[in-house]
Amino acid sequence: MADPTFLSGWLPRRRSRWVLYGFLLVAAFYLLLEHTAHTLGALPFLVLLACPLMHLFMDGGHGHGHPGAPEGPDSRSTPTPKP
């Protein structure tokens, strides 16, 4: 059986989080609806800003090794033997 004190402390936090998400969704909808000219005017700048941000945050997982780093057996740069 569930502990009633656990559920009473957990449900209001979860419920308030969904209320916050709903409020933010409605606010974003009305902001875009009423200020369409401003948001569409900033769209080209946001696309240009997305390029450096993608290079900054998404460049870590390409398997780029450091020149002084030792290569181990699990390294991607070592060729796999063909049977």
Side-chain angles (χ1 to χ4, degrees), residues 2 7 20 23 25-26 32 34 41 49-50 55 61 70 74-75 77:
L7 291 178
L20 175 67
F23 174 76
L25 184 67
V26 169
L32 289 174
E34 293 296 324
L49 182 65
H55 282 287
D74 60 342
S75 176
S77 63

Side-chain angles (χ1 to χ4, degrees), residues 4-78:
T5 58
F6 172 74
L7 291 178
S8 66
W10 183 68
L11 287 177
R13 285 188 221 143
R14 183 177 180 199
R15 197 174 301 144
S16 63
R17 187 178 303 154
W18 280 106
V19 169
L20 175 67
Y21 292 157
F23 174 76
L24 290 176
L25 184 67
V26 169
F29 173 73
Y30 280 114
L31 184 68
L32 289 174
L33 186 69
E34 293 296 324
H35 299 281
T36 306
H38 299 115
T39 53
L40 292 180
L43 190 61
F45 298 109
L46 293 175
V47 170
L48 290 175
L49 182 65
C51 294
L53 288 175
M54 283 193 312
H55 282 287
L56 184 69
F57 291 114
M58 297 178 66
D59 200 25
H62 293 296
H64 296 251
H66 299 286
E71 294 185 9
D74 60 342
S75 176
R76 290 186 184 180
S77 63
T78 58

